Short mmCIF file of all heavy atoms in Angstrom, two decimals:
data_model
loop_
_atom_site.label_atom_id
_atom_site.label_comp_id
_atom_site.label_asym_id
_atom_site.label_seq_id
_atom_site.Cartn_x
_atom_site.Cartn_y
_atom_site.Cartn_z
N VAL A 130 50.10 215.18 149.87
CA VAL A 130 48.67 215.27 150.19
C VAL A 130 48.34 216.66 150.76
O VAL A 130 47.76 217.48 150.08
CB VAL A 130 48.26 214.17 151.18
CG1 VAL A 130 46.78 214.28 151.48
CG2 VAL A 130 48.56 212.80 150.58
N VAL A 131 48.74 216.91 151.99
CA VAL A 131 48.55 218.26 152.55
C VAL A 131 49.84 219.04 152.31
O VAL A 131 50.91 218.61 152.74
CB VAL A 131 48.23 218.19 154.05
CG1 VAL A 131 48.06 219.59 154.62
CG2 VAL A 131 46.96 217.39 154.28
N THR A 132 49.74 220.14 151.60
CA THR A 132 50.97 220.82 151.17
C THR A 132 51.07 222.26 151.63
O THR A 132 50.07 222.95 151.80
CB THR A 132 51.06 220.84 149.63
OG1 THR A 132 49.92 221.51 149.12
CG2 THR A 132 51.14 219.45 149.07
N GLY A 133 52.31 222.68 151.81
CA GLY A 133 52.61 224.09 152.03
C GLY A 133 53.21 224.63 150.75
O GLY A 133 53.83 223.88 150.00
N ASN A 151 51.41 230.64 156.54
CA ASN A 151 50.95 229.67 157.54
C ASN A 151 49.86 228.73 157.03
O ASN A 151 49.08 228.19 157.80
CB ASN A 151 50.41 230.41 158.77
CG ASN A 151 51.51 231.10 159.54
OD1 ASN A 151 52.69 230.93 159.21
ND2 ASN A 151 51.15 231.86 160.54
N LEU A 152 49.80 228.55 155.71
CA LEU A 152 48.73 227.75 155.13
C LEU A 152 49.19 226.35 154.76
O LEU A 152 50.28 226.16 154.26
CB LEU A 152 48.20 228.44 153.86
CG LEU A 152 47.04 227.73 153.15
CD1 LEU A 152 45.76 227.82 153.97
CD2 LEU A 152 46.82 228.32 151.77
N ALA A 153 48.32 225.37 155.05
CA ALA A 153 48.52 224.02 154.53
C ALA A 153 47.29 223.67 153.71
O ALA A 153 46.17 223.69 154.22
CB ALA A 153 48.71 223.02 155.66
N SER A 154 47.50 223.38 152.43
CA SER A 154 46.38 223.11 151.52
C SER A 154 46.16 221.63 151.32
O SER A 154 47.11 220.83 151.36
CB SER A 154 46.67 223.74 150.15
OG SER A 154 47.01 225.08 150.28
N TYR A 155 44.90 221.28 151.10
CA TYR A 155 44.55 219.90 150.71
C TYR A 155 43.99 220.00 149.32
O TYR A 155 42.81 220.30 149.14
CB TYR A 155 43.54 219.34 151.69
CG TYR A 155 43.09 217.92 151.41
CD1 TYR A 155 44.01 216.87 151.45
CD2 TYR A 155 41.77 217.63 151.12
CE1 TYR A 155 43.60 215.57 151.20
CE2 TYR A 155 41.35 216.33 150.88
CZ TYR A 155 42.27 215.31 150.92
OH TYR A 155 41.86 214.02 150.68
N GLY A 156 44.85 219.83 148.31
CA GLY A 156 44.43 220.15 146.97
C GLY A 156 44.11 221.62 146.89
O GLY A 156 44.92 222.46 147.26
N SER A 157 42.91 221.96 146.45
CA SER A 157 42.55 223.37 146.37
C SER A 157 41.90 223.87 147.65
O SER A 157 41.58 225.05 147.77
CB SER A 157 41.58 223.58 145.21
OG SER A 157 40.43 222.78 145.41
N LEU A 158 41.71 222.97 148.61
CA LEU A 158 41.10 223.38 149.88
C LEU A 158 42.15 223.98 150.81
O LEU A 158 43.19 223.37 151.03
CB LEU A 158 40.47 222.16 150.55
CG LEU A 158 39.91 222.36 151.96
CD1 LEU A 158 38.65 223.22 151.93
CD2 LEU A 158 39.61 221.02 152.61
N ALA A 159 41.86 225.18 151.34
CA ALA A 159 42.76 225.78 152.33
C ALA A 159 42.48 225.09 153.66
O ALA A 159 41.62 225.51 154.42
CB ALA A 159 42.52 227.28 152.43
N ARG A 160 43.16 224.00 153.94
CA ARG A 160 42.78 223.08 155.01
C ARG A 160 43.17 223.57 156.40
O ARG A 160 42.35 223.61 157.30
CB ARG A 160 43.40 221.70 154.74
CG ARG A 160 43.05 220.63 155.75
CD ARG A 160 41.56 220.34 155.75
NE ARG A 160 41.21 219.38 156.79
CZ ARG A 160 40.99 219.68 158.06
NH1 ARG A 160 41.09 220.94 158.45
NH2 ARG A 160 40.67 218.76 158.93
N PHE A 161 44.44 223.91 156.59
CA PHE A 161 44.91 224.41 157.91
C PHE A 161 45.50 225.80 157.73
O PHE A 161 46.29 226.04 156.83
CB PHE A 161 45.98 223.47 158.49
CG PHE A 161 45.51 222.06 158.64
CD1 PHE A 161 45.94 221.07 157.76
CD2 PHE A 161 44.64 221.71 159.67
CE1 PHE A 161 45.52 219.75 157.90
CE2 PHE A 161 44.21 220.39 159.81
CZ PHE A 161 44.65 219.42 158.92
N THR A 162 45.11 226.70 158.62
CA THR A 162 45.52 228.10 158.42
C THR A 162 46.47 228.59 159.52
O THR A 162 46.74 229.78 159.60
CB THR A 162 44.29 229.01 158.38
OG1 THR A 162 43.51 228.76 159.55
CG2 THR A 162 43.45 228.73 157.14
N ASP A 163 46.94 227.68 160.37
CA ASP A 163 47.90 228.14 161.38
C ASP A 163 49.09 227.17 161.45
O ASP A 163 49.54 226.79 162.50
CB ASP A 163 47.24 228.25 162.76
CG ASP A 163 46.77 226.89 163.27
OD1 ASP A 163 46.65 225.96 162.44
OD2 ASP A 163 46.54 226.77 164.49
N VAL A 164 49.54 226.79 160.27
CA VAL A 164 50.64 225.82 160.22
C VAL A 164 51.99 226.55 160.17
O VAL A 164 52.21 227.41 159.34
CB VAL A 164 50.48 224.91 158.99
CG1 VAL A 164 51.74 224.13 158.72
CG2 VAL A 164 49.32 223.96 159.22
N VAL A 182 53.15 218.29 154.28
CA VAL A 182 53.23 218.68 155.69
C VAL A 182 53.57 217.50 156.60
O VAL A 182 54.32 217.65 157.56
CB VAL A 182 51.91 219.36 156.14
CG1 VAL A 182 51.89 219.56 157.64
CG2 VAL A 182 51.75 220.70 155.45
N ALA A 311 47.40 231.09 144.23
CA ALA A 311 46.08 230.75 144.76
C ALA A 311 46.17 229.87 146.00
O ALA A 311 45.24 229.77 146.78
CB ALA A 311 45.26 230.03 143.69
N ARG A 312 47.30 229.21 146.20
CA ARG A 312 47.48 228.33 147.38
C ARG A 312 48.29 229.05 148.47
O ARG A 312 49.10 228.45 149.13
CB ARG A 312 48.18 227.04 146.98
CG ARG A 312 47.54 226.31 145.84
CD ARG A 312 46.31 225.52 146.25
NE ARG A 312 45.67 224.96 145.05
CZ ARG A 312 44.66 225.55 144.41
NH1 ARG A 312 44.16 226.70 144.84
NH2 ARG A 312 44.14 224.98 143.33
N SER A 313 48.10 230.35 148.61
CA SER A 313 48.84 231.09 149.63
C SER A 313 47.86 231.84 150.52
O SER A 313 46.67 231.88 150.24
CB SER A 313 49.79 232.08 148.97
OG SER A 313 49.05 233.13 148.39
N MET A 314 48.36 232.42 151.60
CA MET A 314 47.49 233.22 152.46
C MET A 314 48.25 234.41 153.03
O MET A 314 49.46 234.53 152.86
CB MET A 314 46.89 232.36 153.58
CG MET A 314 47.86 232.03 154.68
SD MET A 314 47.12 231.06 156.00
CE MET A 314 45.86 232.17 156.60
N PRO C 104 45.74 216.33 144.77
CA PRO C 104 46.36 215.05 145.10
C PRO C 104 45.69 213.93 144.32
O PRO C 104 44.46 213.94 144.16
CB PRO C 104 46.10 214.90 146.59
CG PRO C 104 45.87 216.28 147.08
CD PRO C 104 45.27 217.04 145.95
N PRO C 108 40.50 214.52 147.01
CA PRO C 108 39.38 215.11 146.30
C PRO C 108 39.86 216.00 145.15
O PRO C 108 40.92 216.59 145.25
CB PRO C 108 38.68 215.94 147.37
CG PRO C 108 39.74 216.26 148.34
CD PRO C 108 40.70 215.12 148.32
#
Side-chain angles (χ1 to χ4, degrees):
Chain A
V130 181
V131 179
T132 59
N151 291 354
L152 181 71
S154 308
Y155 180 63
S157 58
L158 173 71
R160 181 64 184 83
F161 303 105
T162 53
D163 64 343
V164 167
V182 171
R312 307 281 174 265
S313 70
M314 75 179 298

